[in-house]
Amino acid sequence: MQTFLRGAALGIFVLVLGGSKLAAQGTDPIVGTWELNVAKSKYSPGPTPKTETRTYVVAGQDIRATSKGVDSAGTPTTAEWTVNYDGKDRPQTGNPDADTLSLKRIDAFTTEWTQKRAGKVAITGTRTISRDGKVMTITSRGTNAKGQTINNAEVFEKR
């Protein structure tokens, strides 16, 4: 009987631990819809987009993201990517500056990321979400597809 109780306790522990991991993903502060605040954002060298809305959803063990907006010339833009916080390169579509993205979680609110183009690091940065979960700041440094050095700080607000 004692062996049975130990086994049952271990099974409950594993279920609770596994369930907490799933619950943590469901409460990832990135999940939701975010609007770019153009006035608070900085694009160097530019140009600045007119609008951008990003939506992040949990997809199993991953986070699936979509971006829709309007660039500085008034052309609609779309991009999609699915990532995990495992540091592995994942494909991106709709981004002229990179074809893969990898993320490493620093803590619940901070992530470091790397974008590559043709297998070479192009842009790196951080994504920080405010403790109240209402503001996301994405910093980017590197070289875009045009060969320009970029240094951007994008500020998004949760809808």
Side-chain angles (χ1 to χ4, degrees), residues 112-151:
E112 290 180 345
W113 55 268
T114 301
Q115 290 179 321
K116 293 180 181 176
R117 186 174 48 253
K120 295 184 181 188
V121 173
I123 302 170
T124 61
T126 59
R127 180 188 76 204
T128 305
I129 298 174
S130 63
R131 296 291 175 183
D132 65 5
K134 295 180 181 179
V135 178
M136 172 174 65
T137 304
I138 301 173
T139 61
S140 309
R141 290 179 188 241
T143 306
N144 66 17
K146 296 176 183 175
Q148 299 169 314
T149 299
I150 63 162
N151 184 7

mmCIF file of all heavy atoms in Angstrom, residues 112-151:
data_model
loop_
_atom_site.group_PDB
_atom_site.id
_atom_site.type_symbol
_atom_site.label_atom_id
_atom_site.label_comp_id
_atom_site.label_asym_id
_atom_site.label_seq_id
_atom_site.Cartn_x
_atom_site.Cartn_y
_atom_site.Cartn_z
ATOM 1 N N GLU A 112 15.275 37.725 -25.501
ATOM 2 C CA GLU A 112 16.284 38.114 -26.476
ATOM 3 C C GLU A 112 15.986 37.361 -27.758
ATOM 4 O O GLU A 112 15.543 36.218 -27.714
ATOM 5 C CB GLU A 112 17.687 37.744 -25.983
ATOM 6 C CG GLU A 112 18.152 38.579 -24.824
ATOM 7 C CD GLU A 112 19.542 38.193 -24.346
ATOM 8 O OE1 GLU A 112 20.044 37.109 -24.717
ATOM 9 O OE2 GLU A 112 20.129 38.987 -23.596
ATOM 10 N N TRP A 113 16.233 37.997 -28.891
ATOM 11 C CA TRP A 113 15.924 37.357 -30.161
ATOM 12 C C TRP A 113 16.995 37.653 -31.198
ATOM 13 O O TRP A 113 17.729 38.626 -31.098
ATOM 14 C CB TRP A 113 14.539 37.764 -30.661
ATOM 15 C CG TRP A 113 14.341 39.247 -30.779
ATOM 16 C CD1 TRP A 113 13.835 40.081 -29.830
ATOM 17 C CD2 TRP A 113 14.639 40.067 -31.907
ATOM 18 N NE1 TRP A 113 13.807 41.365 -30.301
ATOM 19 C CE2 TRP A 113 14.301 41.389 -31.576
ATOM 20 C CE3 TRP A 113 15.163 39.806 -33.165
ATOM 21 C CZ2 TRP A 113 14.462 42.445 -32.459
ATOM 22 C CZ3 TRP A 113 15.334 40.858 -34.046
ATOM 23 C CH2 TRP A 113 14.975 42.159 -33.686
ATOM 24 N N THR A 114 17.037 36.751 -32.196
ATOM 25 C CA THR A 114 17.985 36.876 -33.302
ATOM 26 C C THR A 114 17.262 36.571 -34.599
ATOM 27 O O THR A 114 16.559 35.562 -34.699
ATOM 28 C CB THR A 114 19.165 35.894 -33.134
ATOM 29 O OG1 THR A 114 19.818 36.171 -31.896
ATOM 30 C CG2 THR A 114 20.154 36.006 -34.275
ATOM 31 N N GLN A 115 17.437 37.438 -35.587
ATOM 32 C CA GLN A 115 16.910 37.195 -36.924
ATOM 33 C C GLN A 115 18.092 36.937 -37.849
ATOM 34 O O GLN A 115 19.119 37.619 -37.758
ATOM 35 C CB GLN A 115 16.129 38.405 -37.443
ATOM 36 C CG GLN A 115 14.824 38.631 -36.722
ATOM 37 C CD GLN A 115 14.102 39.862 -37.250
ATOM 38 O OE1 GLN A 115 14.717 40.872 -37.554
ATOM 39 N NE2 GLN A 115 12.788 39.753 -37.349
ATOM 40 N N LYS A 116 17.924 35.951 -38.724
ATOM 41 C CA LYS A 116 18.959 35.628 -39.703
ATOM 42 C C LYS A 116 18.402 35.779 -41.110
ATOM 43 O O LYS A 116 17.198 35.588 -41.342
ATOM 44 C CB LYS A 116 19.465 34.200 -39.507
ATOM 45 C CG LYS A 116 20.207 34.007 -38.211
ATOM 46 C CD LYS A 116 20.689 32.569 -38.071
ATOM 47 C CE LYS A 116 21.405 32.363 -36.752
ATOM 48 N NZ LYS A 116 21.788 30.947 -36.576
ATOM 49 N N ARG A 117 19.315 36.099 -42.026
ATOM 50 C CA ARG A 117 18.992 36.172 -43.444
ATOM 51 C C ARG A 117 20.016 35.299 -44.152
ATOM 52 O O ARG A 117 21.226 35.501 -43.996
ATOM 53 C CB ARG A 117 19.071 37.633 -43.913
ATOM 54 C CG ARG A 117 18.628 37.877 -45.321
ATOM 55 C CD ARG A 117 18.580 39.376 -45.691
ATOM 56 N NE ARG A 117 19.768 40.132 -45.325
ATOM 57 C CZ ARG A 117 19.834 41.011 -44.312
ATOM 58 N NH1 ARG A 117 18.786 41.250 -43.554
ATOM 59 N NH2 ARG A 117 20.957 41.656 -44.061
ATOM 60 N N ALA A 118 19.547 34.283 -44.860
ATOM 61 C CA ALA A 118 20.425 33.339 -45.565
ATOM 62 C C ALA A 118 21.436 32.707 -44.606
ATOM 63 O O ALA A 118 22.600 32.517 -44.937
ATOM 64 C CB ALA A 118 21.124 34.022 -46.727
ATOM 65 N N GLY A 119 20.992 32.398 -43.389
ATOM 66 C CA GLY A 119 21.830 31.693 -42.412
ATOM 67 C C GLY A 119 22.784 32.558 -41.619
ATOM 68 O O GLY A 119 23.472 32.067 -40.737
ATOM 69 N N LYS A 120 22.820 33.869 -41.896
ATOM 70 C CA LYS A 120 23.739 34.768 -41.189
ATOM 71 C C LYS A 120 22.951 35.743 -40.325
ATOM 72 O O LYS A 120 21.917 36.253 -40.743
ATOM 73 C CB LYS A 120 24.602 35.541 -42.182
ATOM 74 C CG LYS A 120 25.523 34.633 -42.965
ATOM 75 C CD LYS A 120 26.425 35.416 -43.871
ATOM 76 C CE LYS A 120 27.282 34.406 -44.631
ATOM 77 N NZ LYS A 120 28.312 35.010 -45.399
ATOM 78 N N VAL A 121 23.465 36.005 -39.121
ATOM 79 C CA VAL A 121 22.805 36.936 -38.217
ATOM 80 C C VAL A 121 22.692 38.303 -38.894
ATOM 81 O O VAL A 121 23.678 38.849 -39.389
ATOM 82 C CB VAL A 121 23.564 37.055 -36.882
ATOM 83 C CG1 VAL A 121 22.965 38.151 -36.016
ATOM 84 C CG2 VAL A 121 23.562 35.722 -36.147
ATOM 85 N N ALA A 122 21.467 38.833 -38.915
ATOM 86 C CA ALA A 122 21.208 40.142 -39.523
ATOM 87 C C ALA A 122 20.816 41.173 -38.463
ATOM 88 O O ALA A 122 21.321 42.291 -38.459
ATOM 89 C CB ALA A 122 20.110 40.030 -40.573
ATOM 90 N N ILE A 123 19.916 40.776 -37.564
ATOM 91 C CA ILE A 123 19.384 41.718 -36.583
ATOM 92 C C ILE A 123 19.211 40.986 -35.254
ATOM 93 O O ILE A 123 18.747 39.848 -35.225
ATOM 94 C CB ILE A 123 18.029 42.295 -37.053
ATOM 95 C CG1 ILE A 123 18.191 42.989 -38.415
ATOM 96 C CG2 ILE A 123 17.458 43.261 -36.024
ATOM 97 C CD1 ILE A 123 16.889 43.385 -39.068
ATOM 98 N N THR A 124 19.566 41.650 -34.167
ATOM 99 C CA THR A 124 19.345 41.109 -32.822
ATOM 100 C C THR A 124 18.589 42.141 -32.004
ATOM 101 O O THR A 124 18.555 43.328 -32.352
ATOM 102 C CB THR A 124 20.669 40.766 -32.110
ATOM 103 O OG1 THR A 124 21.443 41.961 -31.979
ATOM 104 C CG2 THR A 124 21.453 39.716 -32.871
ATOM 105 N N GLY A 125 18.012 41.688 -30.904
ATOM 106 C CA GLY A 125 17.300 42.638 -30.064
ATOM 107 C C GLY A 125 16.682 42.012 -28.843
ATOM 108 O O GLY A 125 16.925 40.845 -28.519
ATOM 109 N N THR A 126 15.880 42.816 -28.179
ATOM 110 C CA THR A 126 15.144 42.367 -26.998
ATOM 111 C C THR A 126 13.684 42.759 -27.142
ATOM 112 O O THR A 126 13.350 43.722 -27.835
ATOM 113 C CB THR A 126 15.697 42.997 -25.700
ATOM 114 O OG1 THR A 126 15.614 44.413 -25.808
ATOM 115 C CG2 THR A 126 17.118 42.566 -25.425
ATOM 116 N N ARG A 127 12.848 41.992 -26.471
ATOM 117 C CA ARG A 127 11.425 42.301 -26.356
ATOM 118 C C ARG A 127 11.128 42.341 -24.872
ATOM 119 O O ARG A 127 11.352 41.360 -24.166
ATOM 120 C CB ARG A 127 10.585 41.228 -27.044
ATOM 121 C CG ARG A 127 9.094 41.504 -26.948
ATOM 122 C CD ARG A 127 8.279 40.343 -27.459
ATOM 123 N NE ARG A 127 8.293 39.286 -26.448
ATOM 124 C CZ ARG A 127 8.092 37.999 -26.724
ATOM 125 N NH1 ARG A 127 7.896 37.596 -27.947
ATOM 126 N NH2 ARG A 127 8.106 37.114 -25.755
ATOM 127 N N THR A 128 10.665 43.483 -24.396
ATOM 128 C CA THR A 128 10.357 43.638 -22.978
ATOM 129 C C THR A 128 8.898 44.043 -22.834
ATOM 130 O O THR A 128 8.435 44.952 -23.520
ATOM 131 C CB THR A 128 11.260 44.717 -22.344
ATOM 132 O OG1 THR A 128 12.619 44.382 -22.601
ATOM 133 C CG2 THR A 128 11.035 44.804 -20.849
ATOM 134 N N ILE A 129 8.218 43.367 -21.935
ATOM 135 C CA ILE A 129 6.825 43.694 -21.647
ATOM 136 C C ILE A 129 6.783 44.293 -20.245
ATOM 137 O O ILE A 129 7.421 43.767 -19.317
ATOM 138 C CB ILE A 129 5.926 42.441 -21.755
ATOM 139 C CG1 ILE A 129 5.984 41.917 -23.188
ATOM 140 C CG2 ILE A 129 4.494 42.769 -21.331
ATOM 141 C CD1 ILE A 129 5.278 40.615 -23.405
ATOM 142 N N SER A 130 6.057 45.389 -20.101
ATOM 143 C CA SER A 130 5.946 46.040 -18.793
ATOM 144 C C SER A 130 5.310 45.089 -17.785
ATOM 145 O O SER A 130 4.568 44.178 -18.163
ATOM 146 C CB SER A 130 5.132 47.325 -18.906
ATOM 147 O OG SER A 130 3.803 47.037 -19.319
ATOM 148 N N ARG A 131 5.606 45.287 -16.521
ATOM 149 C CA ARG A 131 5.089 44.401 -15.456
ATOM 150 C C ARG A 131 3.565 44.394 -15.403
ATOM 151 O O ARG A 131 2.977 43.397 -15.007
ATOM 152 C CB ARG A 131 5.663 44.784 -14.096
ATOM 153 C CG ARG A 131 7.158 44.617 -14.004
ATOM 154 C CD ARG A 131 7.548 43.176 -14.035
ATOM 155 N NE ARG A 131 9.006 43.051 -14.061
ATOM 156 C CZ ARG A 131 9.645 41.918 -14.148
ATOM 157 N NH1 ARG A 131 8.976 40.790 -14.229
ATOM 158 N NH2 ARG A 131 10.947 41.880 -14.175
ATOM 159 N N ASP A 132 2.922 45.490 -15.837
ATOM 160 C CA ASP A 132 1.459 45.504 -15.851
ATOM 161 C C ASP A 132 0.891 44.859 -17.111
ATOM 162 O O ASP A 132 -0.321 44.736 -17.263
ATOM 163 C CB ASP A 132 0.919 46.911 -15.664
ATOM 164 C CG ASP A 132 1.249 47.866 -16.802
ATOM 165 O OD1 ASP A 132 1.837 47.435 -17.823
ATOM 166 O OD2 ASP A 132 0.931 49.065 -16.669
ATOM 167 N N GLY A 133 1.784 44.441 -18.042
ATOM 168 C CA GLY A 133 1.364 43.737 -19.244
ATOM 169 C C GLY A 133 0.735 44.611 -20.313
ATOM 170 O O GLY A 133 0.153 44.094 -21.268
ATOM 171 N N LYS A 134 0.878 45.936 -20.217
ATOM 172 C CA LYS A 134 0.195 46.829 -21.145
ATOM 173 C C LYS A 134 1.082 47.407 -22.241
ATOM 174 O O LYS A 134 0.580 47.893 -23.247
ATOM 175 C CB LYS A 134 -0.454 47.966 -20.369
ATOM 176 C CG LYS A 134 -1.564 47.499 -19.450
ATOM 177 C CD LYS A 134 -2.182 48.641 -18.703
ATOM 178 C CE LYS A 134 -3.285 48.141 -17.771
ATOM 179 N NZ LYS A 134 -3.887 49.241 -17.026
ATOM 180 N N VAL A 135 2.411 47.387 -22.043
ATOM 181 C CA VAL A 135 3.325 47.991 -23.012
ATOM 182 C C VAL A 135 4.421 46.993 -23.372
ATOM 183 O O VAL A 135 5.014 46.369 -22.490
ATOM 184 C CB VAL A 135 3.960 49.287 -22.454
ATOM 185 C CG1 VAL A 135 4.956 49.876 -23.452
ATOM 186 C CG2 VAL A 135 2.884 50.308 -22.106
ATOM 187 N N MET A 136 4.676 46.852 -24.661
ATOM 188 C CA MET A 136 5.744 45.988 -25.153
ATOM 189 C C MET A 136 6.715 46.867 -25.942
ATOM 190 O O MET A 136 6.304 47.619 -26.823
ATOM 191 C CB MET A 136 5.167 44.901 -26.064
ATOM 192 C CG MET A 136 6.225 44.067 -26.772
ATOM 193 S SD MET A 136 5.541 42.672 -27.702
ATOM 194 C CE MET A 136 4.569 43.505 -28.969
ATOM 195 N N THR A 137 8.005 46.753 -25.598
ATOM 196 C CA THR A 137 9.036 47.494 -26.302
ATOM 197 C C THR A 137 9.973 46.508 -26.979
ATOM 198 O O THR A 137 10.492 45.593 -26.331
ATOM 199 C CB THR A 137 9.834 48.395 -25.335
ATOM 200 O OG1 THR A 137 8.917 49.253 -24.653
ATOM 201 C CG2 THR A 137 10.864 49.227 -26.080
ATOM 202 N N ILE A 138 10.164 46.678 -28.284
ATOM 203 C CA ILE A 138 11.042 45.810 -29.062
ATOM 204 C C ILE A 138 12.196 46.659 -29.576
ATOM 205 O O ILE A 138 11.973 47.623 -30.307
ATOM 206 C CB ILE A 138 10.290 45.153 -30.235
ATOM 207 C CG1 ILE A 138 9.119 44.325 -29.714
ATOM 208 C CG2 ILE A 138 11.243 44.310 -31.081
ATOM 209 C CD1 ILE A 138 8.208 43.776 -30.791
ATOM 210 N N THR A 139 13.407 46.304 -29.167
ATOM 211 C CA THR A 139 14.584 47.006 -29.667
ATOM 212 C C THR A 139 15.260 46.133 -30.709
ATOM 213 O O THR A 139 15.301 44.912 -30.573
ATOM 214 C CB THR A 139 15.583 47.337 -28.546
ATOM 215 O OG1 THR A 139 16.023 46.120 -27.944
ATOM 216 C CG2 THR A 139 14.946 48.231 -27.497
ATOM 217 N N SER A 140 15.788 46.760 -31.757
ATOM 218 C CA SER A 140 16.417 46.041 -32.867
ATOM 219 C C SER A 140 17.703 46.748 -33.270
ATOM 220 O O SER A 140 17.707 47.967 -33.437
ATOM 221 C CB SER A 140 15.502 46.034 -34.099
ATOM 222 O OG SER A 140 14.211 45.596 -33.789
ATOM 223 N N ARG A 141 18.760 45.955 -33.456
ATOM 224 C CA ARG A 141 20.030 46.478 -33.968
ATOM 225 C C ARG A 141 20.569 45.491 -34.976
ATOM 226 O O ARG A 141 20.515 44.294 -34.756
ATOM 227 C CB ARG A 141 21.050 46.652 -32.845
ATOM 228 C CG ARG A 141 20.711 47.759 -31.900
ATOM 229 C CD ARG A 141 21.761 47.842 -30.815
ATOM 230 N NE ARG A 141 21.332 48.785 -29.822
ATOM 231 C CZ ARG A 141 21.984 49.884 -29.519
ATOM 232 N NH1 ARG A 141 23.105 50.183 -30.113
ATOM 233 N NH2 ARG A 141 21.523 50.704 -28.608
ATOM 234 N N GLY A 142 21.106 46.026 -36.075
ATOM 235 C CA GLY A 142 21.693 45.147 -37.073
ATOM 236 C C GLY A 142 21.696 45.796 -38.437
ATOM 237 O O GLY A 142 21.739 47.023 -38.553
ATOM 238 N N THR A 143 21.604 44.936 -39.453
ATOM 239 C CA THR A 143 21.648 45.398 -40.831
ATOM 240 C C THR A 143 20.424 44.874 -41.573
ATOM 241 O O THR A 143 20.167 43.670 -41.579
ATOM 242 C CB THR A 143 22.931 44.900 -41.529
ATOM 243 O OG1 THR A 143 24.051 45.301 -40.749
ATOM 244 C CG2 THR A 143 23.058 45.470 -42.922
ATOM 245 N N ASN A 144 19.678 45.782 -42.184
ATOM 246 C CA ASN A 144 18.484 45.361 -42.920
ATOM 247 C C ASN A 144 18.865 44.828 -44.301
ATOM 248 O O ASN A 144 20.050 44.811 -44.671
ATOM 249 C CB ASN A 144 17.454 46.500 -42.997
ATOM 250 C CG ASN A 144 17.916 47.694 -43.810
ATOM 251 O OD1 ASN A 144 18.868 47.629 -44.597
ATOM 252 N ND2 ASN A 144 17.227 48.815 -43.618
ATOM 253 N N ALA A 145 17.874 44.417 -45.065
ATOM 254 C CA ALA A 145 18.116 43.822 -46.387
ATOM 255 C C ALA A 145 18.730 44.813 -47.371
ATOM 256 O O ALA A 145 19.359 44.402 -48.346
ATOM 257 C CB ALA A 145 16.807 43.261 -46.950
ATOM 258 N N LYS A 146 18.591 46.109 -47.116
ATOM 259 C CA LYS A 146 19.176 47.139 -47.978
ATOM 260 C C LYS A 146 20.635 47.434 -47.615
ATOM 261 O O LYS A 146 21.263 48.276 -48.245
ATOM 262 C CB LYS A 146 18.366 48.427 -47.877
ATOM 263 C CG LYS A 146 16.945 48.309 -48.380
ATOM 264 C CD LYS A 146 16.195 49.595 -48.149
ATOM 265 C CE LYS A 146 14.741 49.459 -48.574
ATOM 266 N NZ LYS A 146 13.969 50.666 -48.259
ATOM 267 N N GLY A 147 21.143 46.768 -46.565
ATOM 268 C CA GLY A 147 22.513 47.000 -46.129
ATOM 269 C C GLY A 147 22.660 48.164 -45.169
ATOM 270 O O GLY A 147 23.775 48.534 -44.801
ATOM 271 N N GLN A 148 21.538 48.744 -44.723
ATOM 272 C CA GLN A 148 21.567 49.872 -43.798
ATOM 273 C C GLN A 148 21.659 49.381 -42.355
ATOM 274 O O GLN A 148 21.014 48.408 -41.985
ATOM 275 C CB GLN A 148 20.298 50.711 -43.941
ATOM 276 C CG GLN A 148 20.089 51.306 -45.306
ATOM 277 C CD GLN A 148 18.695 51.887 -45.455
ATOM 278 O OE1 GLN A 148 17.706 51.262 -45.084
ATOM 279 N NE2 GLN A 148 18.617 53.096 -46.011
ATOM 280 N N THR A 149 22.434 50.079 -41.540
ATOM 281 C CA THR A 149 22.490 49.787 -40.114
ATOM 282 C C THR A 149 21.224 50.334 -39.474
ATOM 283 O O THR A 149 20.873 51.504 -39.683
ATOM 284 C CB THR A 149 23.728 50.442 -39.466
ATOM 285 O OG1 THR A 149 24.884 49.898 -40.090
ATOM 286 C CG2 THR A 149 23.781 50.172 -37.976
ATOM 287 N N ILE A 150 20.530 49.485 -38.718
ATOM 288 C CA ILE A 150 19.297 49.923 -38.061
ATOM 289 C C ILE A 150 19.482 49.927 -36.551
ATOM 290 O O ILE A 150 20.276 49.161 -35.998
ATOM 291 C CB ILE A 150 18.083 49.046 -38.447
ATOM 292 C CG1 ILE A 150 18.274 47.603 -37.979
ATOM 293 C CG2 ILE A 150 17.811 49.104 -39.937
ATOM 294 C CD1 ILE A 150 16.995 46.823 -37.933
ATOM 295 N N ASN A 151 18.718 50.804 -35.904
ATOM 296 C CA ASN A 151 18.682 50.905 -34.454
ATOM 297 C C ASN A 151 17.275 51.379 -34.108
ATOM 298 O O ASN A 151 17.010 52.577 -34.073
ATOM 299 C CB ASN A 151 19.749 51.878 -33.957
ATOM 300 C CG ASN A 151 19.807 51.929 -32.446
ATOM 301 O OD1 ASN A 151 19.160 51.161 -31.755
ATOM 302 N ND2 ASN A 151 20.581 52.873 -31.937
#
